[in-house]
Amino acid sequence: MRKMKAWRRLFYVAVFEAALIGMLIGKGSGHDYWDALSKAIIFFEGQRSGVLPQDQRMSWRQNSGLSDGWNYNTDLTGGYYDAGDNVKFGFPMAFTTTMLAWSVLEFGDLMPPNELRNALVAVRWATDYLLKTLSQPNRIFVQVGDPNSDHDCWERPEDMDTARTTYAIDAPNAASDVAGETAAALAASSMAFRSSDPGYSETLLRNAITAFEFADNYRGAYSDNENLKYNACPYYCDFNGYQDELLWGAAWLRRATQDDNFLNYIESNGKTLGAEDTINEFGWDNKHAGLNVLLSKEVIEGNMYSLESYKSSAESFICTMIPESPSSNMEYTPGGLVYRSGGSNLQHATSIAFLELVYANYLTHTSQVITCGNVYVSAQTLRQHAKRQVDYILGDNPMGLSYMVGYSNYYPQRIHHRASSLPSIKDHPHFIACKEGSIYYNSTNPNPNLLVGAIVGGPDQNDDYVDDRFDFRESEPTTYINAPFVGVLAYFAANPSFS
């Protein structure tokens, strides 16, 4: 067996001591969900691209990507870097935006006014950028930055000297997935801003319809385009197909507009677009479970029985999540964490917890339960299941480790994140070139900049986590892990005694 590095041994000892002390003083009996919520939102400031505002709280970050869009002579500054690299991938960014907006719609009224404001600021940083991606007729910008050259470097976003190539899809070439998700993001966000900024809300909704029309008129996956294929794949290739994004975009437009044309679209296209597929997953590439939960609201609360099949699919999905259910097929770690192979596993835990809480709200409004064979699943059951995932992430796990950076005293120190792991431009104002950052990547020292609120990919199937910058599958944070967690934390912060 390969010898364990000294720093790893020290890490395990520290974690063991933390867990032991925690048991002795009763740690794990409760969490400060308000603190976690605040940190989950501020994380997005660390992912910002473009010109940073004066009230930027993640002060070790500075302006970056200021020439984005240059090769199309257009302004594509702003938006978010999706993870620990310096590329702006439109597909996961749009999904992140949808989930942030959905968090606000479902749970924003539970947030303190200042955190609701911060959440809306996080949404707007994304939607301002997404509007730019639709700024030219019959074209959607889907990515900024050459990921192959970017991933060959380890440098700060402020120092980027890799190609900031802009990738666009022009009609009649297809981008149904990105355009459909962009439509969903803008439609959901239009509702989030409806009361506070009606003019902006209307702009978002108008552009959501434009994005959906592009998605529906020119059907196909964006990553099938020859000029993009090897720059979207294998990073954010559309593995699942574009059909779910068409239904997802239509569903959000239906909710935002209450227009029966979108309801008719969902009813008439559902079968051909795979609505009856039983795919038990929800994330940046696969929207089926989220689509089913979203449309269930109209059935449960509005008696829209033409959508009954979506409610049935949503409840079938939920039954597979519940360990006591006879149809349960979700894998869990020994410590109780939802687990799917492939890396960035906590994206599944946060998104599933979100869907459970949303569905629990729907059930509560009508006093309904879900029947899983001979097991009855109530709103309380769903909330308990979601809470176990939340508490695991925040530290109630075999490692005794919070997987949110900056929350509690024990959390990952060596996350796979360029800006966090390199000295900030304030502390080291001199340019750090592409390969010059390698010494920081290879260092065993903790990251010098705290990316507060970042949730890493998480432990393996045995609940083991090694605090190693090399292992991006476990140590890299992403925006789409955090986005649904914002809503989840808002619920538990407002209901601290729930058990």
Side-chain angles (χ1 to χ4, degrees), residues 251-392:
W252 275 109
L253 281 164
R254 162 64 180 172
R255 182 159 171 179
T257 64
Q258 289 300 297
D259 188 331
D260 284 345
N261 287 324
F262 293 111
L263 175 63
N264 294 336
Y265 181 95
I266 295 163
E267 291 171 343
S268 59
N269 287 279
K271 184 169 291 188
T272 58
L273 294 177
E276 297 178 358
D277 295 350
T278 54
I279 302 174
N280 296 326
E281 188 176 341
F282 182 50
W284 61 264
D285 186 35
N286 194 316
K287 312 301 159 27
H288 283 280
L291 168 72
N292 294 330
V293 167
L294 179 67
L295 291 176
S296 294
K297 181 180 176 70
E298 289 211 57
V299 184
I300 297 172
E301 298 181 5
N303 298 319
M304 186 65 68
Y305 295 116
S306 64
L307 299 176
E308 179 67 39
S309 64
Y310 293 92
K311 175 178 177 289
S312 296
S313 293
E315 296 190 349
S316 293
F317 165 72
I318 289 169
C319 288
T320 67
M321 298 295 108
I322 304 300
E324 298 78 17
S325 165
S327 58
S328 175
N329 63 12
M330 173 56 70
E331 183 179 349
Y332 290 85
T333 67
L337 178 69
V338 164
Y339 185 80
R340 284 184 180 273
S341 60
S344 295
N345 178 62
L346 289 184
Q347 66 181 300
H348 305 298
T350 61
S351 63
I352 286 171
F354 180 89
L355 293 183
E356 288 178 322
L357 291 182
V358 169
Y359 211 84
N361 278 353
Y362 299 165
L363 293 177
T364 299
H365 293 159
T366 56
S367 301
Q368 295 185 32
V369 297
I370 299 170
T371 303
C372 301
N374 59 350
V375 174
Y376 294 100
V377 177
S378 65
Q380 180 166 344
T381 303
L382 293 178
R383 288 168 179 149
Q384 288 170 337
H385 187 264
K387 188 173 186 293
R388 285 195 290 271
Q389 300 305 302
V390 174
D391 290 348
Y392 184 107

Side-chain angles (χ1 to χ4, degrees), residues 127-206:
T127 53
D128 282 351
Y129 173 80
L130 293 177
L131 290 174
K132 294 178 180 181
T133 69
L134 300 168
S135 61
Q136 298 181 4
N138 296 312
R139 170 179 287 166
I140 181 169
F141 295 103
V142 297
Q143 185 173 313
V144 179
D146 175 355
N148 299 301
S149 61
D150 179 273
H151 288 186
D152 194 43
C153 294
W154 195 260
E155 60 184 348
R156 302 176 294 199
E158 294 85 355
D159 286 337
M160 283 186 292
D161 55 358
T162 54
R164 297 300 292 169
T165 308
T166 302
Y167 299 91
I169 302 295
D170 294 325
N173 295 301
S176 297
D177 33 28
V178 181
E181 185 61 66
T182 300
L186 297 178
S189 299
S190 75
M191 288 185 283
F193 285 103
R194 190 166 285 164
S195 60
S196 62
D197 194 338
Y200 188 63
S201 172
E202 180 57 36
T203 297
L204 294 174
L205 187 56
R206 186 174 63 252

Side-chain angles (χ1 to χ4, degrees), residues 235-257:
Y235 312 104
Y236 291 103
C237 194
D238 186 340
F239 301 99
N240 178 62
Y242 65 86
Q243 293 88 344
D244 52 331
E245 277 81 26
L246 289 175
L247 291 171
W248 178 240
W252 275 109
L253 281 164
R254 162 64 180 172
R255 182 159 171 179
T257 64

